[in-house]
């Protein structure tokens, strides 16, 4: 589907024309100017507000499912699993609050602060007088009577908690002696302690204590523990995903082709005799190139920085290829401050030079086009070359898991995986190529 | 002694060309906005009776107020916006690496 601001502008113009016709020409006598202006403005506002939604497509069940799948908390299935007929209304309410996405503090991991906020929130919901959340060694948070000696940050005192962590199953104690607190005068008399499990590992426990001999409902505490465990698992998955994204970026950094370095150094060596000034410039550019590649941190960078990296690279290649490599940049002013994934554009340009133009005797032109569409909130980057193109079977290979040409598919796959990590399904990476005519690679990412 | 004319030799013709075309886009947008405002006032006078007959503070019609004050304010705003955007474009699209970012590597001048 065709998108962009021009389409919207045309639609708005057409709408105003229709409004004018209806209010001034069709009806007799014509309506007032104020009415026409109000109607046209209202229609324009609706179009502008509705346009991004129309581009996103209908809010069908599929879209809804996709949105749910993409939601970071992703805890709805757990709520469904944990539902049981014997649950009280309080537990149902509490679960709804807990699964409401970002409000679950443990979603960011098992930290003292997250544990304190979770325990404070859960104490009235689980019907206990005191709630403790621990890791395997320490009380991360304790809320309620007994906090003077079951202090947060201190060692796990209650034997019931240590037992639950050690055995990896629920421990219910109905007597102070069974609960095992070694401090005389401890007001806590009964406990339900459930381990928190990530995968098959026990990472801590949640305990609900009461100051009388009737312990809190076991099912309720176990359900809540399973939800907390799920959140901890999701937090760990997030951490692993971030580590994987960092590793992919490092891999791309390490993938800077040594042949590129050899070729550039040879070029500089030859120029150092004939044109020392240019050789110096090339050395400075080479230094800039590696400085940027090594230094760049984080997953996103301002487009202007990536543009600098790309033009540094292309100027080095131009020194090598001479007139065979022509470059054309077409950059929208608005895109310069947009944030794009780091080390994404340069590999695309490198592919265009290495696989598109290097093999073509007469050379060709690499075009980098960057645009921002403020209405659809997207940044579009297109790298075009008029080189030898890619064969259809190789192009099919690039679309799948298998790399096509050596080095090419790896870079594209790396970029695709990193974009998936960063944007989920909200990006496109299109490759179009005709053998003998050239290749167009277009990346469209959300505007940041 | 080598004469330094202050011109940054860092930029290639393609980069200068790109910066020029981006600045041209800024300038064209500026001109379009300018023309829309300049032509919009008489167009409103021709199409909207209220534009000429309405009374604002001091008995001024909206068209008169726009011609007397509004247009100048608008020109000032779009002029400043175009100038600052052009400066930002030039700074981002031309020149060497960004300064002021200490990355632990020696800069050009530190090499000896």
């Amino acid at each position: 589907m065709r998108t962009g601001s021009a389409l919207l502008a045309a639609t708005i113009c057409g709408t105003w024309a229709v409004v004018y016709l209806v209010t001034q020409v069709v009806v007799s006598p014509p309506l007032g100017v104020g009415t026409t202006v109000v109607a046209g403005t209202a229609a324009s506002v609706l179009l502008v507000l509705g346009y991004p939604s129309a581009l996103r497509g209908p809010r069908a069940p599929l879209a809804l499912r996709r949105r749910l799948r993409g939601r970071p908390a992703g805890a709805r299935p757990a709520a469904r699993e944990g539902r049981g007929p014997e649950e009280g209304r309080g537990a149902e309410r509490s679960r709804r609050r807990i699964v409401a996405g970002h409000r679950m503090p443990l979603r960011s991991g098992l930290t003292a602060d997250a544990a304190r906020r979770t325990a404070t929130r859960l104490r009235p919901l689980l019907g206990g007088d005191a709630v403790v959340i621990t890791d395997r060694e320490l009380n991360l948070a304790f809320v309620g009577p007994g906090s003077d000696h079951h202090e947060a940050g201190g060692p796990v005192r209650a034997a019931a908690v240590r037992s639950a962590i050690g055995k990896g199953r629920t421990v219910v104690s109905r007597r102070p002696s069974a609960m095992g607190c070694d401090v005389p005068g401890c007001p806590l008399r009964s406990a339900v302690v459930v381990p928190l499990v990530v995968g098959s590992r026990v990472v801590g426990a949640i305990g609900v204590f009461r100051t009388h001999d009737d312990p809190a409902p076991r099912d309720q505490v176990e359900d809540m523990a399973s939800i907390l465990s799920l959140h901890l698992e999701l937090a760990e998955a997030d951490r692993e995903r971030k580590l994987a994204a960092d590793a992919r970026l490092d891999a791309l950094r390490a993938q800077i082709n040594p042949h590129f370095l050899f070729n550039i150094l040879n070029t500089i060596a030859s120029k150092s005799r004939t044109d020392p000034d240019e050789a110096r410039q090339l050395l400075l550019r080479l230094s800039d190139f590696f400085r940027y590649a090594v230094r760049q941190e984080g997953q996103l960078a301002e487009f202007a920085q990536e543009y600098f990296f790309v033009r540094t690279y292309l100027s080095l290649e131009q020194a090598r290829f001479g007139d065979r490599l022509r470059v054309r940049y077409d950059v929208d002013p608005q895109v310069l401050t947009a944030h794009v994934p780091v080390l994404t554009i340069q590999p695309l340009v490198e592919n265009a030079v290495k696989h598109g133009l290097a093999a073509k005797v007469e050379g060709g032109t690499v075009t980098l086009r960057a645009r921002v569409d403020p209405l659809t909130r997207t940044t579009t980057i297109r790298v075009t070359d008029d080189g030898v193109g890619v064969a259809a079977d190789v192009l099919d290979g690039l679309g799948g898991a298998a790399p096509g040409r050596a080095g090419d598919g790896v870079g594209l796959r790396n970029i695709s995986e990193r974009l998936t990590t960063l944007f989920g399904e909200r990006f496109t990476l299109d490759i179009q190529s005709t053998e003998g005519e050239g290749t167009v690679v277009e990346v469209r990412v959300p505007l940041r | 002694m080598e004469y330094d004319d202050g011109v940054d030799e860092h930029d290639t013709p393609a980069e200068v060309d790109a910066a020029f075309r981006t600045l041209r886009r800024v300038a064209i947008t500026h001109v379009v906005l300018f023309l829309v405002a300049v032509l919009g006032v008489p167009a409103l006078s021709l199409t909207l009776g209220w534009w000429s007959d309405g009374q604002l503070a001091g008995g001024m019609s909206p068209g008169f107020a726009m011609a007397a004050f509004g247009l100048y304010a608008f020109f000032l705003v779009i002029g400043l916006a175009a100038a600052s955007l052009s400066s930002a474009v030039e700074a981002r699209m031309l020149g060497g690496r960004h300064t002021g970012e200490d990355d632990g590597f020696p800069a050009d001048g530190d090499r000896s």
Side-chain angles (χ1 to χ4, degrees), chain A residues 129-416:
Chain A
D129 295 312
V131 170
V132 66
I133 294 178
T134 76
D135 62 13
R136 292 189 65 90
E137 307 286 338
L138 304 172
N139 286 338
L140 294 176
F142 190 98
V143 181
S147 58
D148 52 338
H149 58 281
H150 292 279
E151 72 276 9
V156 174
R157 282 186 177 277
V161 178
R162 291 198 296 271
S163 171
I165 293 172
K167 293 175 181 170
R169 58 184 169 82
T170 303
V171 171
V172 180
S173 67
R174 293 180 169 79
R175 298 186 311 280
S177 57
M179 214 188 69
C181 178
D182 55 0
V183 174
C186 178
L188 306 177
R189 299 181 65 83
S190 62
V192 176
V193 185
V194 185
L196 299 173
V197 181
V198 173
S200 57
R201 287 181 296 121
V202 176
V203 295
I206 177 172
V208 180
F209 301 98
R210 281 184 171 175
T211 54
H212 50 83
D213 292 341
D214 183 22
R218 174 178 175 156
D219 293 342
Q220 208 167 309
V221 181
E222 284 182 337
D223 286 347
M224 191 54 67
S226 68
I227 292 175
L228 296 182
S229 296
L230 180 74
H231 279 281
L232 290 173
E233 273 190 49
L234 290 170
E236 191 148 310
D238 278 351
R239 201 168 56 246
E240 285 171 3
R241 200 178 305 130
K242 185 177 180 307
L243 286 173
D246 290 344
R248 284 190 198 106
L249 190 60
D250 288 341
L252 203 60
R253 266 194 205 111
Q255 200 187 315
I256 290 173
N257 196 336
H259 294 294
F260 165 70
L261 182 59
F262 300 152
N263 292 332
I264 292 300
L265 287 177
N266 283 333
T267 306
I268 293 171
S270 68
K271 298 242 179 210
S272 62
R273 284 184 184 276
T274 57
D275 192 348
D277 283 344
E278 191 184 351
R280 178 179 176 277
Q281 288 296 329
L282 289 174
L283 276 174
L284 292 177
R285 287 233 161 186
L286 188 62
S287 140
D288 287 348
F289 180 83
F290 278 101
R291 178 177 280 116
Y292 185 87
V294 172
R295 177 198 62 189
Q296 201 58 35
E297 289 178 356
Q299 295 290 338
L300 296 173
E302 206 177 59
F303 175 84
Q305 295 181 21
E306 285 290 299
Y307 174 65
F308 169 71
F309 187 51
V310 169
R311 61 194 174 98
T312 302
Y313 167 77
L314 279 174
S315 66
L316 290 168
E317 291 288 34
Q318 275 185 307
R320 189 158 72 91
F321 285 97
D323 292 340
R324 285 180 59 216
L325 173 60
R326 293 173 290 281
V327 180
R328 180 182 165 85
Y329 303 104
D330 185 4
V331 178
D332 202 34
Q334 294 163 303
V335 83
L336 289 167
T337 50
H339 283 77
V340 295
V342 296
L343 300 185
T344 300
I345 310 171
Q346 187 272 336
L348 300 179
V349 172
E350 185 176 342
N351 280 343
V353 173
K354 200 163 65 177
H355 302 297
L357 300 178
K360 196 173 177 182
V361 177
E362 65 271 30
T365 305
V366 174
T367 304
L368 170 66
R369 183 178 185 272
R371 291 282 182 275
V372 159
D373 191 335
L375 284 170
T376 55
R377 306 277 306 158
T378 53
T379 305
T380 306
I381 295 155
R382 182 188 294 171
V383 177
T384 312
D385 70 76
D386 54 1
V388 295
V390 182
D393 55 331
V394 178
L395 201 60
D396 291 342
L398 289 175
R405 292 171 293 201
D408 190 359
V410 175
L412 284 173
R413 198 166 59 230
N414 188 311
I415 291 169
S416 174

